[in-house]
Amino acid sequence: MATIDDVAKRAGVATSTVSYVLSGKRRISAATRAKVQAAVAELGYHPHAGARALASARTNVLALMVPLPLTPGTKALRPDIDVNVLMQFVAGIAPRARALGYDVLLVTDDDPSATERVWAGSTADAIIAMSVQAEDPRIEALSRARTPAILIGLPDDPHGLSCVDFDFESAGRLAIRHLAAHGHRRIAMVGPPSVTFERRMSFAERMVRGLSEQSAAAGAQFSIAPTAARRDAVATALAPVLDGPDRATALVVHHEAALPSVLDVLRERQLRLPQDISVIAVCPPSIAEQQAAPLSSIDVPAQSIGATAVEMAVAALRGEGAPETRLVRAELTDRASTSAPLA
Amino acid sequence: MATIDDVAKRAGVATSTVSYVLSGKRRISAATRAKVQAAVAELGYHPHAGARALASARTNVLALMVPLPLTPGTKALRPDIDVNVLMQFVAGIAPRARALGYDVLLVTDDDPSATERVWAGSTADAIIAMSVQAEDPRIEALSRARTPAILIGLPDDPHGLSCVDFDFESAGRLAIRHLAAHGHRRIAMVGPPSVTFERRMSFAERMVRGLSEQSAAAGAQFSIAPTAARRDAVATALAPVLDGPDRATALVVHHEAALPSVLDVLRERQLRLPQDISVIAVCPPSIAEQQAAPLSSIDVPAQSIGATAVEMAVAALRGEGAPETRLVRAELTDRASTSAPLA
DNA sequence: TTGAAAGCGCTAACAT
DNA sequence: ATGTTAGCGCTTTCAA
């Protein structure tokens, strides 16, 4: 492989000149720059990432800590994690990182020590952590890091770290306000399985808080149906909510993987949307679009949140901006799966 | 940060001794090893990844090239790519890589030049490319690379590179054999949208080949219904297949994102599974399990294929094994969504 | 506007 | 069984 010295020799300039042409950190005459660029092109030169990292103390890598739902060969199962949703964030993160000159390192160890491995080994310039829990053991480790860290999620105590996330609490309030305005007084959330709450996943808690507080304010009865995604589990979880005279007249579904099953169960029960029951989905737009019926939804702009996380990380690396928490406000798109209740 | 020299000083040994203790490339007495390990622990030492890469010419990083379906700010839309399926592979790749001592670099540029950036810059030791097309511009670039490359998929010409994938062709044959044995003579595939075929995605072509050749052999009539995942698109695509006296009596669905819509359309048409119509899904098991109905399926073992890709990459790095193509044989799990046709 | 040279932290000969 | 040391390829002072 060609080295920077090869380029320098070929262009007839000093090594440092090549470096400066490449980094733009020095004014270089047009003539010299042209010679260097020609040599670079002719040799197909690409700087050695490791050498650059060693000399400059910068890797141009962003570490992305993403727990996976099932990690083969490990005891750590995380059925509380939805890959499909995670990927929506990644789809926002990776391209933005690239655009800003960073590569993305995927770290799937669900383990505070992985954090240390990454920053202490100068493996990445900054860390973005996903699937944050209200009390997340990784946060303390990240707050120690020499490296900026951004959390996607909102823990009880961010330990001074920056956070970005969707404002699930306001989303919950918004959903209830919308339904209450239509006259609904018995509302249920179809939510992730109880393990998600046991893990104290940040998004789930905030959603419930928004829903229940606003329900109280609106004088509406509110209940939660946590469930796995499988069709039979959903049917079972929905039974208490949909049976009896006090059955819910509206559902807020905050469980993207369960959406197909929910719609199927409703259909089987001959409940038409929105005449017989109102439904609001809370999920990334691309997931809402894949459903069997058009759904009124509160879009979780996962991609743009991911991109924002990258921007915050890069800003921190530039020494710009203090630690902050950014919550993206919720908006509701009415797609006719909500209306006034029958009774 | 502590350096290897700090550790050496603290342990009272030479720098190289520390290096050898860490790498295990030399016999070290138990006493010395203990001293070094103590010093490492006390200082919280982690080797500098860049320095190590520079000195050893190895990064311990695997690059994963994954085109994303929509890359914000780019013209390159790839609606032919299903993130959910991609992630199943990643879920197999990342943990296996970690177990073998590698980190995973996510490269989402859908661009042959990204390939060069990665290997020419000594950014990764090996490259795994996903979403391979029959004629993929990345392959030629990869075959030039100084770095081993593994393709997940099977192009027309692998240019000497190793490939791993599910044997979609045998999956197609298996599906038809199963259905034909039940007496079906009119079978349709519900497949990815036509853009997927225009892209000549490797998996789609092989699937169709298996299905159509075996249909011919079995004397069955075979048709293809390519469709987007959205409910209305699926309904439209299924119409010609399900209407009329010559309608298909069995469907092979090879389009994971469309599965919910397909099941919904069938239900709306009052077609019961399996009495009125047989259905076989071809998808990763975790996706089959999320559907509204239990489906007979041919499981695409995406995770294990991902893990295999990693193992092949690492083997290549060790100089073991020649380039090869590994196709994982298909098996069918009968979950009672198939039976004999009515007529 | 450009050059020369001293490291960055590690590995792997080459010694002993 | 351990120590010494010359690079690996780059960035960045310090000089000119």
Side-chain angles (χ1 to χ4, degrees):
Chain A
M1 286 276 62
T3 71
I4 196 173
D5 285 322
D6 297 332
V7 175
K9 233 157 262 167
R10 175 130 190 169
V13 300
T15 310
S16 59
T17 299
V18 177
S19 177
Y20 286 121
V21 167
L22 261 34
S23 70
K25 291 187 179 173
R26 216 188 223 184
R27 287 203 75 82
I28 300 285
S29 71
T32 308
R33 194 179 328 124
K35 277 191 297 183
V36 170
Q37 282 163 344
V40 166
E42 286 158 19
L43 296 173
Y45 169 73
H46 287 263
H48 187 290
R52 185 172 258 187
L54 180 56
S56 68
R58 289 179 136 282
T59 60
N60 282 297
V61 168
L62 255 35
L64 192 57
M65 325 230 27
V66 293
L68 291 181
L70 20 78
T71 304
T74 313
K75 72 265 155 224
L77 289 199
R78 299 276 314 250
D80 52 310
I81 287 172
D82 186 324
V83 224
N84 208 354
V85 176
L86 278 193
M87 257 324 250
Q88 298 298 324
F89 287 92
V90 175
I93 290 170
R96 193 80 196 98
R98 197 77 271 293
L100 295 174
Y102 290 83
D103 273 318
V104 172
L105 193 76
L106 246 197
V107 184
T108 55
D109 315 54
D110 178 24
D111 186 350
S113 77
T115 290
E116 189 176 315
R117 196 175 62 78
V118 164
W119 71 257
S122 298
T123 298
D125 294 335
I127 300 179
I128 296 177
M130 304 187 49
S131 302
V132 167
Q133 303 162 232
E135 293 179 9
D136 199 309
R138 298 174 299 173
I139 296 175
E140 207 269 314
L142 284 172
S143 71
R144 275 198 231 290
R146 199 176 32 64
T147 277
I150 311 287
L151 308 179
I152 296 186
L154 188 55
D156 287 346
D157 177 2
H159 280 71
L161 300 176
S162 279
C163 307
V164 217
D165 204 357
F166 186 58
D167 191 341
F168 286 100
E169 188 170 334
S170 79
R173 295 185 187 283
L174 176 57
I176 298 294
R177 276 205 309 274
H178 181 82
L179 293 170
H182 274 298
H184 292 272
R185 289 298 175 268
R186 291 190 307 277
I187 304 172
M189 162 171 114
V190 180
S194 51
V195 57
T196 301
F197 293 98
E198 285 151 19
R199 286 254 180 202
R200 302 204 56 210
M201 292 302 290
S202 142
F203 68 87
E205 292 197 345
R206 289 178 283 140
M207 187 70 190
V208 167
R209 190 179 317 133
L211 289 168
S212 58
E213 289 184 6
Q214 189 68 37
S215 292
Q221 188 180 315
F222 173 68
S223 61
I224 306 181
T227 179
R230 285 179 42 212
R231 160 65 212 240
D232 52 349
V234 170
T236 306
L238 280 180
V241 162
L242 296 179
D243 289 334
D246 271 8
R247 68 175 187 280
T249 60
L251 299 180
V252 178
V253 185
H254 184 203
H255 186 343
E256 16 285 289
L259 266 174
S261 299
V262 169
L263 296 181
D264 196 63
V265 168
L266 296 181
R267 178 187 282 264
E268 191 181 50
R269 286 174 169 258
Q270 322 248 10
L271 295 172
R272 293 159 304 166
L273 269 56
Q275 301 96 313
D276 303 318
I277 191 162
S278 288
V279 171
I280 294 179
V282 181
C283 63
S286 65
I287 293 179
E289 286 161 12
Q290 282 187 1
Q291 299 312 314
L295 291 175
S296 295
S297 67
I298 296 181
D299 290 339
V300 179
Q303 292 208 13
S304 95
I305 290 171
T308 301
V310 170
E311 284 155 15
M312 290 171 77
V314 172
L317 286 172
R318 292 187 181 137
E320 300 163 6
E324 60 173 323
T325 292
R326 269 198 233 177
L327 292 181
V328 176
R329 173 126 46 258
E331 282 171 36
L332 191 143
T333 307
D334 201 324
R335 289 199 193 84
S337 68
T338 53
S339 69
L342 261 188
Chain B
M1 285 276 60
T3 71
I4 197 173
D5 285 322
D6 298 331
V7 175
K9 235 157 257 168
R10 175 129 188 172
V13 301
T15 310
S16 60
T17 300
V18 176
S19 176
Y20 286 121
V21 167
L22 261 35
S23 70
K25 290 187 179 174
R26 218 188 220 185
R27 286 203 75 83
I28 300 284
S29 72
T32 308
R33 195 181 326 126
K35 276 191 299 184
V36 169
Q37 282 163 344
V40 165
E42 286 159 18
L43 295 174
Y45 169 73
H46 287 262
H48 187 291
R52 184 172 258 186
L54 180 55
S56 68
R58 288 179 137 284
T59 59
N60 282 296
V61 167
L62 255 37
L64 193 58
M65 325 229 29
V66 294
L68 291 182
L70 21 78
T71 303
T74 314
K75 72 263 155 229
L77 288 199
R78 297 279 312 252
D80 52 311
I81 286 172
D82 186 323
V83 225
N84 209 352
V85 175
L86 277 193
M87 256 324 252
Q88 298 298 325
F89 286 92
V90 175
I93 289 169
R96 193 81 197 99
R98 197 76 271 292
L100 295 174
Y102 290 83
D103 274 316
V104 172
L105 195 76
L106 248 197
V107 184
T108 54
D109 316 53
D110 178 24
D111 185 350
S113 78
T115 291
E116 188 177 317
R117 198 175 60 78
V118 165
W119 72 257
S122 298
T123 298
D125 294 334
I127 300 178
I128 297 177
M130 304 187 51
S131 302
V132 167
Q133 302 162 232
E135 293 179 10
D136 199 309
R138 298 173 300 173
I139 295 175
E140 207 269 316
L142 284 171
S143 70
R144 273 197 232 290
R146 198 177 31 64
T147 276
I150 311 287
L151 308 179
I152 297 186
L154 188 54
D156 287 345
D157 176 3
H159 279 71
L161 300 177
S162 279
C163 308
V164 218
D165 204 356
F166 187 58
D167 191 340
F168 286 100
E169 187 170 336
S170 78
R173 295 185 187 282
L174 177 57
I176 298 295
R177 277 205 308 275
H178 182 83
L179 293 170
H182 273 299
H184 292 272
R185 289 297 174 269
R186 292 190 307 277
I187 305 173
M189 163 171 113
V190 180
S194 53
V195 56
T196 301
F197 293 98
E198 284 152 20
R199 287 252 181 203
R200 301 203 57 210
M201 292 301 291
S202 142
F203 68 87
E205 293 198 345
R206 288 179 285 141
M207 186 71 190
V208 168
R209 190 180 317 134
L211 289 168
S212 57
E213 290 185 5
Q214 189 67 38
S215 291
Q221 188 180 316
F222 172 68
S223 62
I224 305 181
T227 179
R230 284 179 42 214
R231 162 64 211 242
D232 52 349
V234 171
T236 307
L238 280 180
V241 162
L242 296 178
D243 289 334
D246 271 7
R247 68 175 187 279
T249 61
L251 299 180
V252 178
V253 185
H254 184 203
H255 187 343
E256 16 286 287
L259 266 173
S261 299
V262 170
L263 296 180
D264 196 62
V265 168
L266 295 181
R267 178 187 282 265
E268 191 181 50
R269 285 173 171 259
Q270 321 249 11
L271 294 172
R272 292 159 305 166
L273 269 58
Q275 301 95 313
D276 303 317
I277 190 162
S278 288
V279 171
I280 294 179
V282 181
C283 63
S286 65
I287 293 179
E289 286 161 12
Q290 282 186 3
Q291 300 311 316
L295 291 176
S296 296
S297 67
I298 295 181
D299 290 338
V300 179
Q303 292 209 12
S304 95
I305 291 171
T308 301
V310 171
E311 284 155 16
M312 290 172 78
V314 172
L317 286 172
R318 292 187 181 136
E320 301 163 6
E324 60 174 322
T325 292
R326 270 196 231 177
L327 292 180
V328 177
R329 174 125 47 258
E331 284 171 35
L332 191 144
T333 307
D334 201 324
R335 290 200 195 82
S337 67
T338 53
S339 69
L342 262 188

